[in-house]
Every structure is written in structure tokens, then in C-alpha cells.
């Protein structure tokens, strides 16, 4: 899985290209067309119902982002990042695109890089699941693994400097690249799909945060459209987002990387817009895994750990609403498929190695679905 990225030599600066050259303009137009055509070919993702007793008066939905061509919520982000980079003149013919990622964004970015014919290099923690690495390489991307996740940013920037490539920097540009006012973004899609349901305007939408781009897009859209919806972000262990939001501390930091791939960060990322969020919950990693496994029992679908983090918080909100006699709907996300994590969240050996006991959390979910009482 180690990359064969050049480690020396002078970089070719991004600005060393004549952007008035007809050949470049033709390449750019074709690249943008190909990325936009992918959106046209991709049907919208499904909105699934999680089975709850109807008499509770609360409906729980899961926006299934695992059905994108590259299998995750990050397909939307990668498409937006590529369009943003192309239209800004940052992505050039033959020059590599490089990004720091915990896996799913890199899979999607490798796909779009291949679509427009440029090389792609993913700088990722060495603990990234083997299946994600395989998928990146399937799309002709390279995996450049680092031991300390906190050093991903600097390594990605250094690789871009050495190779003359473009550092995509998803953690900075995620919230800027996506059109949060509409244009079939994830928020607009959720409201459109809920239109004929008994509670068409959700009381809560629960998201998780890696870059923070998804929560920013949803929260901004809610306010822009003046919906009576609140946004909750669920945060795993070993992530600074919850503390940074709670304490209004942009310098919040975590010494340890998140075990839940794709979400939770050691630093407050530029795309994590704290002022747009109504509530955050800190979720134990064992609870995230228990919820992911409970999802499979409920709907027959495996999902990743980040889905479990969001589902745990969504179930807690459902319990609060039902306990208070409030009716309405709650929406959370299926971020990616569980088949990418068979050696982690679906492995009892991995749980034991990590010292995670999911038993009490699994029991709490089972009891809640049977009795309506939340015990955690």
C-alpha cells in the first residue's frame, strides 16, 4: 500500500500554465463536462425508514449515501471539490491531485481524478481500512500512508510542492465548494423526499463531521429556507469538535486520532462551522459500533462506524421526543457501507484489541426499541 510518489526534484508551480491556451481551455471544458455528467448519471440516493412503533408519533429516516457510484457520502464532496478546483484553475492536465483523507473522500477523489485523466495521491493514516486502500487503487489512485494522522496535512502539502500537483485540502474547502442554497445538494434532497411523509419538515437532522462540510451545508440550507429544523452533530471519541463547539474554542485539539474512520478530527477544521449547529453529542465508540450493528438487524444493511455514531444520537433524540409526547421526524445518514469495515467494526477480535465492549449499548438500543425507554 506504500506509494511510489517522487520524493525530490523541483515542483512545477500551478501558475506555470497559459490559461488562455486553447488546448488548456478545451481540456478544462471537457473535464468540467465529465464531472457534471457524473451528477446527471447518478440518481438521487434513497431515504430509508428505520422501523419504529407508529404510535410513538416519531419517524426516523436514513439518507442512504452509500448508493453513490463510489459508495459514500463523500462522492458529493469530491465532485464539488473537483469542480471548485477546476473552475479556480488549480487542477491542471497531467499534474497530480493530492489530498489528506481518512479514506472515503480519497476513494471518491480517485474516481473523479480518473474520470478527467489526472493522477491522484491519497495521504492517509496507516490504520485506514484495507478495503478503502483497495478501492483507491482500483480507481488508479496511490495510497501514501503516514503513522501519525496529525501529520497528514503537512505531508499532503509537501507532496504537492514536490510533484507540482494540487493539494485539494478538503478540510479547508469542503464548506466553500458545495452550493448550500440548493442545486440538489443533500439538504434539498432530504426535504424533497420527505414532502409526502406525515412529518415533511424534520424536527432534527443528525449529521457527523469529518471536514464539517455536510453539517455546514445542511445547517445553512435549513436557515436559508427558513425551515423549523434543528441540526445536531454527533462526535466520536478522540475528536476535538465537541469541545471546540461547547467551549467556543477554535484552538481545541485532540492528542489521539479517531477510531471511527471518516469522522472526528484532532484539530478544529476550517470547514467546521460551529455557529450553524444547534446541538452536539459526544458518542462513545462502543455505542457507535453497537448502533451500526443494530442498523443491520433493523433493515438488513451493514454500514460504517460513522453511520452508527449518527444513528446513536438520532435514536436518543427520538427517545426524547417520544418521552415528551412530541411528534415529528428525525433524519440521519448512512455514510458508507459496512463492507469496508469487516475487519474493524464487524470484527469481535478488533473490538477486543481496542478494548471496546458494545454489550451495554447494544442492550440499551434493544430495550429502547422494545419499550420506548432510553437508559444511556
Amino acid at each position: 500500500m506504500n506509494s511510489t510518489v517522487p520524493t525530490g526534484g523541483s515542483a512545477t508551480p500551478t501558475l506555470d500554465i497559459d490559461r488562455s491556451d486553447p488546448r488548456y481551455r478545451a481540456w478544462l471544458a471537457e473535464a468540467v463536462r465529465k464531472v457534471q455528467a457524473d451528477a446527471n448519471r447518478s440518481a438521487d440516493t434513497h431515504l430509508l425508514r428505520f422501523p419504529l412503533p407508529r404510535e410513538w408519533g416519531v419517524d426516523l429516516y436514513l439518507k442512504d449515501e452509500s448508493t453513490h457510484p463510489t459508495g459514500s457520502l463523500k462522492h458529493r464532496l469530491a465532485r464539488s471539490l473537483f469542480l471548485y478546483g477546476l473552475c479556480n484553475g488549480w487542477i491542471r492536465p497531467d499534474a497530480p491531485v493530492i489530498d489528506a483523507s481518512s479514506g472515503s473522500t480519497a476513494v471518491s477523489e480517485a474516481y473523479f481524478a480518473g474520470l478527467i485523466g489526472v493522477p491522484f495521491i491519497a495521504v492517509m493514516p496507516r490504520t485506514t481500512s484495507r478495503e478503502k486502500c483497495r478501492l483507491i487503487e482500483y480507481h488508479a489512485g496511490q495510497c501514501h500512508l503516514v503513522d501519525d494522522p496529525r501529520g497528514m496535512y503537512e505531508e499532503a502539502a509537501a507532496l504537492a510542492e514536490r510533484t507540482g500537483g494540487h493539494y485539494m485540502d478538503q478540510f479547508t474547502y469542503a464548506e466553500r465548494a458545495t452550493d448550500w442554497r440548493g442545486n440538489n445538494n443533500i439538504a434539498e434532497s432530504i426535504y424533497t423526499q420527505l414532502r409526502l411523509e406525515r412529518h415533511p419538515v424534520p424536527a432534527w437532522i443528525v449529521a457527523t463531521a469529518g471536514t464539517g462540510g455536510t453539517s455546514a451545508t445542511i445547517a445553512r440550507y435549513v436557515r436559508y429556507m427558513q425551515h423549523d429544523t434543528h441540526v445536531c452533530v454527533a462526535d466520536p471519541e478522540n475528536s476535538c469538535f465537541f469541545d471546540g463547539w461547547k467551549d467556543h474554542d477554535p484552538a481545541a485539539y485532540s492528542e489521539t486520532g479517531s477510531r471511527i474512520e471518516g469522522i472526528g478530527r484532532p484539530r478544529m477544521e476550517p470547514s467546521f462551522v460551529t455557529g450553524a449547529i444547534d446541538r452536539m453529542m459526544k458518542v462513545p465508540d462502543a455505542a457507535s459500533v453497537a448502533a451500526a450493528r443494530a442498523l443491520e438487524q433493523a433493515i438488513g444493511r451493514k454500514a460504517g462506524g460513522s453511520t452508527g455514531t449518527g444513528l446513536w444520537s438520532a435514536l436518543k433524540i427520538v427517545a426524547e421526543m417520544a418521552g415528551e409526547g412530541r411528534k415529528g421526524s428525525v433524519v440521519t445518514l448512512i455514510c458508507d457501507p459496512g463492507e469496508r469495515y469487516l475487519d474493524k467494526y464487524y470484527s469481535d477480535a478488533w473490538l477486543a484489541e481496542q478494548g471496546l465492549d458494545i454489550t451495554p449499548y447494544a442492550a440499551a438500543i434493544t430495550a429502547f426499541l422494545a419499550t420506548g425507554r432510553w437508559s444511556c
Side-chain angles (χ1 to χ4, degrees):
M1 297 298 180
N2 289 321
S3 72
T4 56
V5 178
T7 56
S10 60
T12 303
T14 301
L15 295 178
D16 283 354
I17 186 171
D18 181 0
R19 285 174 174 76
S20 64
D21 188 322
R23 292 170 298 178
Y24 167 74
R25 302 286 291 191
W27 176 88
L28 176 62
E30 180 65 2
V32 170
R33 183 196 67 78
K34 288 177 178 177
V35 177
Q36 291 179 327
D38 172 84
N40 271 358
R41 290 194 305 272
S42 302
D44 201 1
T45 60
H46 306 303
L47 193 66
L48 309 178
R49 291 189 65 170
F50 187 97
L52 295 175
R54 185 172 177 81
E55 60 269 22
W56 289 4
V58 184
D59 299 325
L60 175 58
Y61 300 90
L62 298 115
K63 180 70 166 159
D64 186 5
E65 295 291 284
S66 71
T67 58
H68 281 295
T70 53
S72 84
L73 167 69
K74 300 301 185 179
H75 192 86
R76 294 180 190 267
L77 172 59
R79 183 194 295 132
S80 296
L81 287 169
F82 266 82
L83 286 173
Y84 194 67
L86 285 165
C87 294
N88 283 338
W90 296 341
I91 299 174
R92 299 170 299 136
D94 302 319
V97 171
I98 298 160
D99 209 357
S101 171
S102 58
S104 286
T105 303
V107 173
S108 300
E109 288 176 326
Y111 167 88
F112 282 105
L115 195 66
I116 67 172
V118 299
F120 176 73
I121 304 165
V123 179
M124 303 185 301
R126 197 169 296 279
T127 55
T128 301
S129 73
R130 291 191 297 271
E131 178 62 10
K132 283 184 181 176
C133 293
R134 185 193 69 80
L135 288 168
I136 291 164
E137 292 174 345
Y138 171 79
H139 291 298
Q142 296 182 57
C143 300
H144 185 82
L145 306 179
V146 297
D147 293 319
D148 187 349
R150 294 170 297 180
M152 291 194 308
Y153 318 92
E154 292 78 9
E155 182 65 14
L159 276 176
E161 180 69 22
R162 292 199 296 268
T163 62
H166 168 55
Y167 173 28
M168 191 73 90
D169 195 2
Q170 59 163 318
F171 297 103
T172 295
Y173 295 107
E175 58 90 8
R176 307 181 199 181
T178 301
D179 185 354
W180 49 268
R181 286 163 292 228
N183 193 24
N184 195 33
N185 65 33
I186 188 171
E188 183 180 54
S189 175
I190 288 170
Y191 284 92
T192 299
Q193 291 175 315
L194 282 172
R195 185 171 55 85
L196 299 180
E197 300 299 310
R198 63 173 176 167
H199 304 299
V201 176
W204 285 91
I205 298 177
V206 180
T208 50
T211 61
T214 298
S215 60
T217 296
I218 292 171
R220 286 167 168 167
Y221 182 84
V222 165
R223 295 180 179 192
Y224 181 67
M225 298 302 293
Q226 304 170 54
H227 290 305
D228 189 17
T229 301
H230 293 84
V231 176
C232 174
V233 172
D235 200 35
E237 294 178 27
N238 304 325
S239 173
C240 69
F241 284 152
F242 177 83
D243 291 333
W245 173 82
K246 176 176 63 71
D247 300 331
H248 306 285
D249 180 9
Y253 198 76
S254 173
E255 291 293 336
T256 309
S258 173
R259 277 183 294 215
I260 306 300
E261 286 192 26
I263 61 171
R265 300 300 304 159
R267 70 175 191 180
M268 295 293 285
E269 301 295 351
S271 284
F272 185 60
V273 183
T274 58
I277 298 164
D278 299 298
R279 179 179 182 180
M280 287 197 70
M281 291 189 197
K282 197 70 172 176
V283 179
D285 289 348
S288 296
V289 176
R293 293 190 179 193
L295 178 65
E296 183 181 16
Q297 295 174 357
I299 68 171
R301 298 278 298 278
K302 282 186 172 69
S306 57
T307 298
T309 307
L311 179 58
W312 177 266
S313 294
L315 288 171
K316 184 174 182 179
I317 290 173
V318 168
E320 293 170 355
M321 292 176 63
E324 297 168 4
R326 290 186 286 128
K327 301 184 185 304
S329 58
V330 178
V331 179
T332 188
L333 312 177
I334 297 179
C335 303
D336 61 1
E339 284 73 17
R340 293 182 177 182
Y341 309 98
L342 297 180
D343 59 339
K344 287 193 170 184
Y345 314 127
Y346 293 90
S347 166
D348 291 340
W350 182 84
L351 291 177
E353 176 186 306
Q354 296 294 315
L356 296 176
D357 180 10
I358 68 171
T359 306
Y361 301 102
I365 294 172
T366 300
F368 166 64
L369 295 177
T371 67
R373 291 190 294 273
W374 187 261
S375 61
C376 282

